[in-house]
Amino acid sequence: MNKEFGVWTYQDCALVLIDYQKEMFESIRSETKADLADLNVRLLAKTAKAFDMPIVHSTVGVAYKINSPTVPTIAKELSGIEPIDRTSMNAFEDRAFREAVKKTGRKRLIIGGLHTEICLTFAVVQALKDGYDVMFVTDAVGGRSQVAHRTAIERMSHAGAVPNTSLAVVTELFRDWALPIADKARQVIYWYFAEVPKVTSEVGV
């Protein structure tokens, strides 16, 4: 990670969302349950749109009828952003995906994906190798087991990626309530505060 940049800002970043598909959600067995992970991904998407950040959206195996498309709740938040469907588990091995990320012009990537130990980890470690700074969002992802999920977090962190949580990402990207962008941030955060109690009582608002 490039330590010269310090905290992350919305001007520096692109959001990358990988494989938020029915089959992946159904097999999550780690600490963040599927419905909360879904909500947190929607928070990230709303934030990126509010802050006019580039978004890269990808799926795996849809054309081959291996998996379903992006789940409707998340697809709705990504309206107008065509998903890049791949065959590779490592998204960066797909040419269209690599080019889409490069086209954003951003060298700092905030990445979420399912499962933590497969499609997220492979993309994160490859992005680091390719020269990007990477942040991954631990409560917008999930693994097939708790061990798989936690091991993947350790692997990505050791490789140099930055772990964070979804609401912390939002506040880090703008950080100052006096800025004009804070009005948009407030709308997104208040939306989240209204929605999260419907999903869990374990997140304070």
Side-chain angles (χ1 to χ4, degrees), residues 153-202:
I153 287 175
E154 290 179 13
R155 179 182 178 186
M156 291 184 287
S157 299
H158 284 307
V162 179
N164 209 343
T165 58
S166 53
L167 187 58
V169 167
V170 181
T171 55
E172 181 168 353
L173 290 177
F174 77 97
R175 294 188 311 286
D176 190 335
W177 291 111
L179 295 176
I181 196 76
D183 288 336
K184 294 181 178 180
R186 187 179 292 107
Q187 292 174 17
V188 172
I189 291 169
Y190 286 176
W191 168 84
Y192 183 73
F193 283 178
E195 292 297 317
V196 75
K198 302 174 186 177
V199 175
T200 181
S201 61
E202 296 180 0

Side-chain angles (χ1 to χ4, degrees), residues 72-163:
T73 49
I74 294 172
K76 182 179 178 181
E77 299 297 343
L78 300 172
S79 176
I81 302 170
E82 189 68 23
I84 300 163
D85 192 47
R86 320 174 321 275
T87 59
S88 60
M89 294 184 192
N90 177 0
F92 277 90
E93 292 178 355
D94 182 89
R95 180 176 178 181
F97 179 90
R98 288 197 311 273
E99 291 180 351
V101 173
K102 184 177 180 181
K103 189 177 179 181
T104 68
R106 307 292 174 92
K107 294 297 288 183
R108 303 193 107 177
L109 307 178
I110 299 170
I111 304 181
L114 300 177
H115 293 102
T116 319
E117 70 274 21
I118 304 173
C119 295
L120 176 62
T121 294
F122 298 168
V124 166
V125 296
Q126 186 68 54
L128 291 166
K129 182 178 183 295
D130 291 349
Y132 293 96
D133 287 341
V134 180
M135 176 183 287
F136 63 96
V137 189
T138 60
D139 61 356
V141 301
R144 290 177 180 269
S145 70
Q146 185 65 18
V147 171
H149 176 72
R150 298 309 306 179
T151 301
I153 287 175
E154 290 179 13
R155 179 182 178 186
M156 291 184 287
S157 299
H158 284 307
V162 179

